[in-house]
Amino acid sequence: MYEIAVIGAGPAGASAALFAAKAGKKTLLIDNDKGMTRRGWYENFYGISEIGGPDLVETGHKQAVKFGAELVADQAVGLTAGSEGFIIESESGATYEAKHVILATGVLTDLAAKAGVETKDGTEPRIKTVVAVNAEGKTNVEGIWAAGTVAGVSVHAIITAGDGAKVAINVISELNGARYVDHDLLKA
């Protein structure tokens, strides 16, 4: 069983998986390779002068995997309560179990709605519906969280990446029973 499963591997999802895996949590990252980030060009992403969407997404995947996240290329089609968390069903027929799930599905809310997660009207242009979350990223279903565009934050990749990190920190903190902080030091 995974401690944290992240569904969606664009900037929000990959950032969440990176933080979760780096914190030593058994982490699953599911990517359907259909995210809108892949179609973009980025000159406003902090720390990077310019990058194409496919390279940005691939970099995020590599960072998450570097710290131990398991990356699965598949489409999550079902999310139901299990005995100790949630069961994620995939289009390929595989199933995965996780204690906590972070939805980072961009503009797609159908999986959340099927799992009983409340949605609401979006406020961003062309984003009709988003998942209703509190300030920590929690949904109305205990153990299901949401980050990025699907959680109603701005569609800008840098903002969704930060939101993914924020939500992961909150999940990690809940699992640890104490506030989690991740600061690396410059190597001498």
Side-chain angles (χ1 to χ4, degrees):
M1 174 181 278
Y2 295 93
E3 290 173 277
I4 301 172
V6 183
I7 301 173
S15 183
L18 184 162
F19 271 81
K22 192 167 184 279
K25 303 304 177 194
K26 187 172 180 184
T27 305
L28 173 67
L29 179 60
I30 301 174
D31 182 36
N32 68 6
D33 198 27
K34 297 176 185 171
M36 64 181 155
T37 302
R38 291 186 175 278
R39 297 186 302 271
W41 177 256
Y42 302 91
E43 294 184 24
N44 59 355
F45 201 97
Y46 176 80
I48 298 172
S49 61
E50 57 186 38
I51 191 168
D55 290 333
L56 181 62
V57 171
E58 189 61 31
T59 298
H61 291 179
K62 286 179 183 175
Q63 288 176 302
V65 169
K66 171 186 172 185
F67 290 110
E70 181 182 337
L71 176 62
V72 173
D74 208 342
Q75 172 78 40
V77 295
L79 178 59
T80 55
S83 60
E84 296 180 40
F86 299 91
I87 299 166
I88 302 163
E89 300 166 49
S90 72
E91 194 170 67
S92 71
T95 59
Y96 306 94
E97 289 185 69
K99 184 171 176 69
H100 290 269
V101 174
I102 300 173
L103 300 171
T105 53
V107 298
L108 304 176
T109 58
D110 51 338
L111 182 65
K114 285 188 340 190
V117 172
E118 291 178 4
T119 59
K120 64 181 186 176
D121 291 341
T123 58
E124 287 286 300
R126 297 180 298 281
I127 307 297
K128 293 184 188 313
T129 308
V130 296
V131 169
V133 296
N134 69 10
E136 295 177 308
K138 289 183 177 185
T139 72
N140 63 301
V141 177
E142 187 68 30
I144 298 180
W145 307 67
T149 302
V150 77
V153 303
S154 173
V155 298
H156 297 90
I158 190 72
I159 295 172
T160 63
D163 196 55
K166 174 196 84 172
V167 172
I169 293 294
N170 291 331
V171 177
I172 295 161
S173 296
E174 186 167 304
L175 285 168
N176 290 351
R179 187 70 182 158
Y180 174 75
V181 177
D182 178 13
H183 291 292
D184 292 326
L185 298 175
L186 191 61
K187 294 178 179 148

